[in-house]
Amino acid sequence: MKYTVRNSRPSDNGQLSDIYLNVRRQTFTWVDPGKFRHEDFLAHSQGEIVWVAEAPEGEIAGFMTLWPADDFIHMLYIRKEWQGEGVGTALLKALPGWPGRRYRLKCLVNNRSAKTFYAGRGFVVTGNGTSAEGDYEELSFIPA
């Protein structure tokens, strides 16, 4: 399926907040769902570039944010019904210089499907740590 990837608009913020809240509650089952709030998206994406992937009918299927100063992918969230349909790959291809540029991200160890997704796109483990949501691995995409 073909997705249109574009920069987000202020009018997208409600849908992006919904996606961020719902996917975290569905995925991070080991975290108290009450810790996730609708207003988190706007707070957590301050200063970041935000891209959205639109399905052919115009529905926002997912989004990605980048902290550009460090080439750090902060968020990549796909609606449950669109996962496994190429949305995440389409968003990664929107990154400036992809795939010839190094990018980093943190992925929670318990998020096995995300770890599999990133490994399949060439990301490798380059560090680890602990966050409020649990242990994570730092993953890096290192161009060949």
Side-chain angles (χ1 to χ4, degrees):
M1 183 172 283
K2 183 78 170 152
Y3 302 96
T4 301
V5 177
R6 62 170 174 79
N7 288 89
S8 71
R9 300 184 282 254
S11 60
D12 297 327
N13 287 340
Q15 286 187 72
L16 299 179
S17 294
D18 291 344
I19 293 168
Y20 191 49
L21 175 65
N22 293 332
V23 174
R24 289 190 304 158
R25 285 183 174 167
Q26 293 163 351
T27 304
F28 305 154
T29 57
W30 59 91
V31 178
D32 174 4
K35 292 188 177 198
F36 303 129
R37 300 176 325 215
H38 197 259
E39 57 271 15
D40 289 345
F41 172 76
L42 289 177
H44 295 174
S45 62
Q46 287 296 308
E48 297 181 353
I49 300 169
V50 182
W51 291 275
V52 300
E54 282 184 335
E57 307 80 34
E59 177 185 14
I60 295 177
F63 71 88
M64 176 179 64
T65 73
L66 177 74
W67 183 255
D70 294 327
D71 287 336
F72 183 79
I73 302 166
H74 182 216
M75 296 184 250
L76 197 159
Y77 285 83
I78 312 300
R79 287 183 195 270
K80 194 77 162 172
E81 62 270 23
W82 291 101
Q83 291 177 9
E85 300 293 326
V87 178
T89 300
L91 286 164
L92 288 176
K93 288 180 179 179
L95 289 166
W98 181 268
R101 192 162 158 181
R102 183 181 179 131
Y103 286 95
R104 299 180 312 110
L105 59 89
K106 293 177 182 173
C107 185
L108 293 171
V109 172
N110 286 338
N111 192 349
R112 297 188 198 321
S113 62
K115 286 179 56 177
T116 299
F117 169 80
Y118 290 120
R121 276 121 198 107
F123 284 82
V124 295
V125 177
T126 53
N128 56 53
T130 301
S131 72
E133 290 84 27
D135 293 340
Y136 67 83
E137 292 177 334
E138 180 178 294
L139 304 177
S140 296
F141 178 83
I142 303 168

